[in-house]
Amino acid sequence: MSWKEVWGSHGGRIAGVTFGIFLGLIYLISGFWDMLFFALVVFIGYTLGKRKDHAQAPLFQWQEFVQWLSGRWRPFK
């Protein structure tokens, strides 16, 4: 299996875990007990990357939120 095939099928997870490790290492500088937070950040990165790989819907519908927010703020313009 070549790197392109691995990246094509698991690119989101790889990028998510890499980003999670990066953020986790930055946070780990402050102490040992923050390892739990580090694991949480890596898990969140993996989960978001997995959702991208499987082309699942985003967890938060930004367009609906923007429409709702613009409708609520319209009277103040």
Side-chain angles (χ1 to χ4, degrees):
M1 184 174 244
S2 72
W3 175 249
K4 284 186 177 186
E5 292 171 353
V6 171
W7 182 257
S9 62
H10 303 297
R13 284 177 263 194
I14 293 169
V17 168
T18 302
F19 187 66
I21 289 172
F22 174 73
L23 290 178
L25 287 174
I26 289 173
Y27 195 78
L28 274 179
I29 293 170
S30 64
F32 174 76
W33 289 106
D34 295 327
M35 183 60 87
L36 292 176
F37 183 77
F38 173 77
L40 176 67
V41 168
V42 171
F43 175 74
I44 289 170
Y46 174 80
T47 302
L48 293 176
K50 184 177 176 184
R51 291 184 66 83
K52 180 200 170 287
D53 286 342
H54 292 294
Q56 293 176 340
L59 293 173
F60 191 72
Q61 300 297 329
W62 289 103
Q63 288 182 339
E64 292 176 12
F65 178 71
V66 169
Q67 288 174 353
W68 175 81
L69 198 59
S70 66
R72 298 276 299 183
W73 283 359
R74 186 158 306 219
F76 299 111
K77 287 186 176 181

